[in-house]
Each structure stands twice: as structure tokens, then as C-alpha cells.
Amino acid sequence: RDDDWLWNPMDFMYSIVDAKGDNGLGKVVTKNNIVFSDSIWLGNYISATRHANGRDWWLLAPRRVKNDYHLCLLTPGGIEYQGMQTIGDTSYNYCCGQTDFSPDGSKFFRHWPEGILILDFDRCSGVLSNPLYIDYSDYPAAGGVAVSPNGRFLYAPKGAFVHQYDLWADDIAASRITVAEYDGFVSPFETYFFQARLAPDGKIYIVSTNTNNILHVIH
């Protein structure tokens, strides 16, 4: 779109901070260094997973309303742009979703209100493959994705519900069950289910779509 620059990020940038600078308070050495310039999704759409070498990190950033994925590699020498790959479904909404990797980095997930895309990810080459699209036209809503520590269960918080998928099932889409339903609790506003993240303590934390003072948690 010609108006992307009005409300979407158009640069993927990084800064370098000396954590020991300014007497331990931290000092910005260089900032706003551009890795690539293109329309990038607003929100929680940039995800990272460790390279198979155990040292470097892959960074994946989807283009807005496109089935294109910018790939970067973070090494001790800095961030290197690796190019863009086109793959998967193209029926993307404008906002209100999330991307994430499985804990072992073997799968990549992209959520938007009408669907979830599951892709295999090669941690050696950075290549995406085997797209599987799960249609959510029966319940389109803002939401997110997170995967259990053992890599088996995909959780999709969406508005009034949290759905669970079994990634080990023969038919992943058919394995959907509802594990939580919004009960009307407010704190101080409605606490609907939105984006999620697996934390180092092995729990999945879910924020809501409003400015609230609580987090939902999956143990």
C-alpha cells in the first residue's frame, strides 16, 4: 500500500548498548542502524530462535499483509540480512496477531484474526517449509500463539477463548479444544485473551486487549 509509511514501521533497525558504560548505568554506542527497509507488521510479529550452531540467533519479520518473511542472522559480528522468503497463505488481516517459534525452533507460527499458519523451520539454513494453514473464519478475533515447553501443544488465545491444538496429532486442525473461556472478570477493564509468551519458568503468560493490571497464566 502507498500509505504504509503513515502507520507501519518501514525500517528494521538495531542499536548497540555498552551495558558497563556510564558507570554501569549503560551507554548507547550507536542507534537506529537500518538492517533493511520495508513495511513490517505492527505489534508482536518479530520472533527469534537460536541457530543450530548454538551461538547465533535467527530473526524473522513478516511483511505487512504479505506471505513474505524477512530473515536476519544475529552473530557476534552484528546483524546480517539474509534475504526474504515467500511461502504460505496470503489471506492476512491488517493487525492484531502474533508470531512465535516452538521452544526447539523447529516450527514457526503466525497468527492473525482469521487463521494460523504453521511452518517448519530449518535452524541450519533459516529456510521455512511445509506450510499448514488453520482456518479461523468461524471465530475471527485478535489473539496470539504460544507453545508448551515440550513442543506438543499450541495455545491460541483469541478474544473470549483460549484454544489448544495438539501438534503431534495426525490432523492438527481437528485436535482443537477450548481450555479457557472469558468469565467477565475486569481489572479494571475487560480481561479478554490476547497475545501470549512462554516464559523461562515454563509457564505461558497471556496479556489482554485492554490496559489491565493482571496476566492470565497457563501452568
Side-chain angles (χ1 to χ4, degrees), residues 26-57:
K27 180 180 180 181
V28 177
V29 178
T30 177
K31 66 177 183 177
N32 298 339
N33 302 286
I34 297 176
V35 181
F36 65 85
S37 295
D38 198 358
S39 62
I40 309 167
W41 277 76
L42 281 171
N44 201 3
Y45 280 99
I46 300 173
S47 293
T49 192
R50 192 182 294 273
H51 192 285
N53 63 20
R55 181 198 67 185
D56 304 332
W57 286 81

Side-chain angles (χ1 to χ4, degrees), residues 20-218:
K20 297 180 180 179
D22 195 11
N23 297 317
L25 296 176
K27 180 180 180 181
V28 177
V29 178
T30 177
K31 66 177 183 177
N32 298 339
N33 302 286
I34 297 176
V35 181
F36 65 85
S37 295
D38 198 358
S39 62
I40 309 167
W41 277 76
L42 281 171
N44 201 3
Y45 280 99
I46 300 173
S47 293
T49 192
R50 192 182 294 273
H51 192 285
N53 63 20
R55 181 198 67 185
D56 304 332
W57 286 81
W58 294 109
L59 304 175
L60 209 58
R63 295 180 73 197
R64 189 178 77 89
V65 202
K66 300 287 185 180
N67 59 333
D68 302 324
Y69 298 85
H70 292 287
L71 183 67
C72 302
L73 185 63
L74 176 62
T75 73
I79 298 180
E80 306 169 2
Y81 181 62
Q82 302 291 303
M84 185 176 68
Q85 181 180 352
T86 301
I87 187 173
D89 196 82
T90 60
S91 60
Y92 298 117
N93 195 293
Y94 285 88
C95 70
C96 312
Q98 183 182 2
T99 67
D100 200 9
F101 282 98
S102 59
D104 65 358
S106 65
K107 291 187 179 297
F108 176 78
F109 306 88
R110 181 174 180 177
H111 173 285
W112 64 100
E114 294 84 7
I116 295 177
L117 182 65
I118 303 175
L119 293 156
D120 289 340
F121 184 73
D122 188 323
R123 293 194 305 129
C124 292
S125 65
V127 173
L128 297 162
S129 61
N130 301 321
L132 172 63
Y133 176 69
I134 297 177
D135 182 81
Y136 249 120
S137 58
D138 64 322
Y139 184 67
V145 285
V147 180
S148 61
N150 66 356
R152 178 171 185 176
F153 297 108
L154 169 66
Y155 292 94
K158 290 178 69 69
F161 301 96
V162 177
H163 296 133
Q164 174 191 283
Y165 293 90
D166 187 346
L167 297 174
W168 296 357
D170 293 332
D171 188 340
I172 296 175
S175 73
R176 186 178 93 179
I177 62 173
T178 301
V179 296
E181 184 172 353
Y182 177 55
D183 59 3
F185 182 75
V186 296
S187 185
F189 306 107
E190 290 85 356
T191 55
Y192 292 108
F193 305 111
F194 190 31
Q195 295 177 344
R197 184 68 71 196
L198 175 64
D201 62 4
K203 301 176 183 180
I204 292 175
Y205 293 91
I206 305 171
V207 300
S208 62
T209 51
N210 290 315
T211 304
N212 295 313
N213 58 4
I214 58 94
L215 292 171
H216 302 283
V217 60
I218 298 176

